[in-house]
Amino acid sequence: MAEQTAPPESTGAIGAISAGPPGPTAPGALPDGPDARTQEAGTSPHKPDAAVVRDALAVGIAVGLSGFAFGVTAAGSGLSLLQICVLSLFVFTGASQFALVGALAAGGNPYTAAAGAFFLGVRNAFYGLRLSQLLALPRAARPFAAHWVIDETTAVTVAQPDRRSARLGFTVTGLTLYVLWNLTTLAGAMGAEALGDTEAWGLDAASPAVFLALLAPMLKSTTERVTAGVAVLLALTLLPVLPAGVPVLLSALAAPVVLFLMGRRKRGPGTETREKTTEKGGRDS
């Protein structure tokens, strides 16, 4: 353990505030408790609970209503009412659900459709790695919270300034979205017959549009934007020539390709020559 620095000598002023932090903070950890005012990178005011709940409800309600579109689209793809409701209850990740029913509706192989939905949902596992640090939930609550680790709950949680607000935002968003998504899924599946031709409404684009709207503000670096653009271009190019569901799987190749090319670009053409010269100079010395 590193030695602690001795406190500065008293200046004699009554009520003087110490210049140093009150104690060490774990890297990446959020301040805990309702009175937390500081973060590792600086000060940040505590966000009122009412503001957190308002933001969480706005996201939960707006996205939860798109469950109606999923119910209609799934019914149009030939799934039964029970199958549609089970998907929303136990899968509960809109983009993966839409990918599955979209591939089935296009005549794709069920195993290919399921594989595409699975790999699209893998992103939630990476969300979980981040949220586990921010929320620091008790071990008994983690399996239940894991079911609510999706795009929307992650977006609301990471935007909070302290752990208490993060937990509140995660809980309200997850509960609101889960209840509303399943209710609107049921309503959409039951009302699909009244709408007639579901393809004419274009409801299958609702969830992907919401996903892109949430993702776009998070693409801040050039590498992230280039990766997203290449993935979209790759999927659109392969869509007419490959079975349904396969283009989604292959679009994931955009990430390693872009990272490799960006890495070579940062190294520059003269890096290898400089490394050899340095190595030779080291041997000569």
Side-chain angles (χ1 to χ4, degrees), residues 30 134-135 157 160 162-171:
L30 284 177
L134 296 179
L135 299 174
T157 302
Q160 306 309 319
D162 56 72
R163 177 163 292 135
R164 184 178 187 278
S165 298
R167 288 178 175 178
L168 180 61
F170 176 85
T171 303

Side-chain angles (χ1 to χ4, degrees), residues 95-212:
S96 296
Q97 293 177 233
F98 270 100
L100 176 64
V101 299
L104 293 177
N109 184 287
Y111 296 103
T112 304
F118 172 79
F119 282 106
L120 191 57
V122 166
R123 70 188 188 280
N124 295 333
F126 296 97
Y127 293 161
L129 295 176
R130 175 61 174 153
L131 294 187
S132 64
Q133 299 177 356
L134 296 179
L135 299 174
L137 295 173
R139 187 177 299 272
R142 292 176 187 175
F144 302 97
H147 193 51
W148 288 355
V149 176
I150 55 176
D151 305 304
E152 294 78 13
T153 55
T154 302
V156 172
T157 302
V158 299
Q160 306 309 319
D162 56 72
R163 177 163 292 135
R164 184 178 187 278
S165 298
R167 288 178 175 178
L168 180 61
F170 176 85
T171 303
V172 174
T173 306
L175 179 61
T176 304
L177 185 52
Y178 186 75
V179 172
L180 194 56
W181 175 268
N182 282 281
L183 290 177
T184 54
T185 293
L186 176 62
M190 295 178 65
E193 294 183 0
L195 292 176
D197 184 10
T198 57
E199 293 184 0
W201 292 82
L203 295 176
D204 55 334
S207 183
V210 172
F211 176 73
L212 291 176

Side-chain angles (χ1 to χ4, degrees), residues 36 48 95 271 284:
T271 303
D284 292 343

